[in-house]
Amino acid sequence: MHEELRKRRALGLIGVLGAALIFLSDCIIMDSSASGAEFGAVALERLTESPNWRLTVGGIGGPIAACVLVVGFGHVYLALQPGGKRGAFLCAAGFACGYVILGAWHA
């Protein structure tokens, strides 16, 4: 039981790291202090004026973070496993696929 809890915590922390990486890559790629209401109007302008290194680093960060998140969703599987392995797998795989799509969008 203690080993199972350690696995869940480790995988959960990996998931938090992946989420932080996605946030960081978004901040790098957009580099905007605009409010949410203004963001839509300035987003395209910010992207067209951004240096190539910012677009490259921010764009690569998304797929890398998605890979880290996929590993992190192992804690969802482990936590839901007592309710049934199939349902736990489908839930964790659904979340993981969503973030892989998000990472592909970044690229």
Side-chain angles (χ1 to χ4, degrees), residues 17-79:
L17 174 65
L21 287 172
I22 282 187
F23 174 74
L24 182 62
S25 67
D26 281 346
C27 289
I28 289 171
I29 206 167
M30 293 311 295
D31 184 38
S32 176
S33 59
S35 70
E38 300 170 330
F39 185 74
V42 300
L44 185 58
E45 181 181 330
R46 294 296 300 183
L47 286 173
T48 57
E49 294 175 358
S50 292
N52 286 339
W53 73 265
R54 183 176 295 279
L55 298 174
T56 302
V57 171
I60 290 173
I64 292 170
C67 292
V68 175
L69 275 168
V70 166
V71 174
F73 277 120
H75 86 282
V76 173
Y77 173 76
L78 291 176

